Amino acid sequence: MPKIHKYSIIVVRLTDFERMFFMSRIKTFAKYALILIGFYILSNILIFFGVNTSYDNLSVKGTIPEQVDITTASATLVNGKVKGSLSDTYNISDKFIKFSFYTDTDSLACIKCLKVSELKDKEFNFYFKYNYITSYSVELVDETEYEDIGDFEKYFSFEEYRKYKIAYWFLLLAFI
């Protein structure tokens, strides 16, 4: 039978203590990781609902041509979006769809013209950056009488945010 040193029990108990200390660190790390993940999920939900509930529907001035179906026309105080489709492009393939946007004082703020023949799948979707838009009108015109007036460059939407989400996390971690 091998001889057991009188201090060998202390050595074993120290390794048990080290294991317990290591496990408590892992538990603490897991708690912080869960808190961070929970904060991320909660903030994304709040941002999503905060942005989407700030859009108000735009009112229509005049009548919309029967070939044009507007599914969404909404705006905040500083920007807006329009989504829709065309029911029939056979007779209007050489025409333009002219959107005119008006402020709350009924003054013309911006104009957007879309060529019907360039629309993919008969659907259109565009964003605009202009303040205090409350109404719009839609016309079918033969030629564009106006250039696009206003800022129609597509800004970061949720779809683009999802593409670059990993890069945002790396930036966030770099600051930490």
Side-chain angles (χ1 to χ4, degrees):
M1 184 163 183
K3 238 180 174 183
I4 299 177
H5 195 272
K6 63 180 181 179
Y7 297 115
S8 63
I9 296 172
I10 295 173
V11 171
V12 170
R13 289 192 179 160
L14 282 177
T15 57
D16 287 342
F17 176 74
E18 288 173 352
R19 282 188 210 152
M20 288 179 4
F21 183 68
F22 181 70
M23 289 303 289
S24 69
R25 278 192 170 184
I26 289 178
K27 288 179 185 177
T28 304
F29 177 74
K31 287 178 190 176
Y32 287 136
L34 286 175
I35 288 171
L36 186 65
I37 291 170
F39 178 74
Y40 170 74
I41 291 171
L42 179 67
S43 65
N44 272 343
I45 290 170
L46 291 175
I47 289 169
F48 176 77
F49 285 115
V51 167
N52 287 335
T53 58
S54 65
Y55 280 93
D56 293 328
N57 290 332
L58 298 176
S59 61
V60 180
K61 291 182 84 167
T63 59
I64 298 177
E66 61 185 36
Q67 296 95 340
V68 180
D69 179 34
I70 306 292
T71 55
T72 303
S74 55
T76 63
L77 290 178
V78 294
N79 59 29
K81 59 186 173 182
V82 175
K83 294 179 184 178
S85 61
L86 294 173
S87 60
D88 181 27
T89 59
Y90 179 69
N91 296 333
I92 59 170
S93 61
D94 58 338
K95 294 190 177 196
F96 291 84
I97 306 171
K98 177 184 165 188
F99 293 91
S100 302
F101 296 96
Y102 300 93
T103 62
D104 50 356
T105 59
D106 286 336
S107 60
L108 181 64
C110 56
I111 296 173
K112 175 73 174 174
C113 292
L114 301 173
K115 189 168 185 175
V116 173
S117 61
E118 294 176 359
L119 296 177
K120 293 181 181 178
D121 300 327
K122 299 185 203 178
E123 294 183 358
F124 54 87
N125 177 17
F126 64 89
Y127 297 86
F128 58 88
K129 295 180 193 176
Y130 214 87
N131 297 339
Y132 304 109
I133 301 295
T134 56
S135 60
Y136 70 99
S137 66
V138 181
E139 299 175 57
L140 286 173
V141 293
D142 292 327
E143 296 180 12
T144 55
E145 301 151 5
Y146 304 100
E147 300 254 342
D148 289 344
I149 302 172
D151 191 4
F152 292 98
E153 294 296 321
K154 187 171 180 181
Y155 55 91
F156 260 51
S157 63
F158 282 115
E159 292 84 19
E160 291 177 359
Y161 171 73
R162 287 187 190 114
K163 288 179 191 175
Y164 301 110
K165 189 183 289 187
I166 295 172
Y168 292 139
W169 274 107
F170 284 128
L171 288 173
L172 178 67
L173 290 174
F175 285 118
I176 293 174

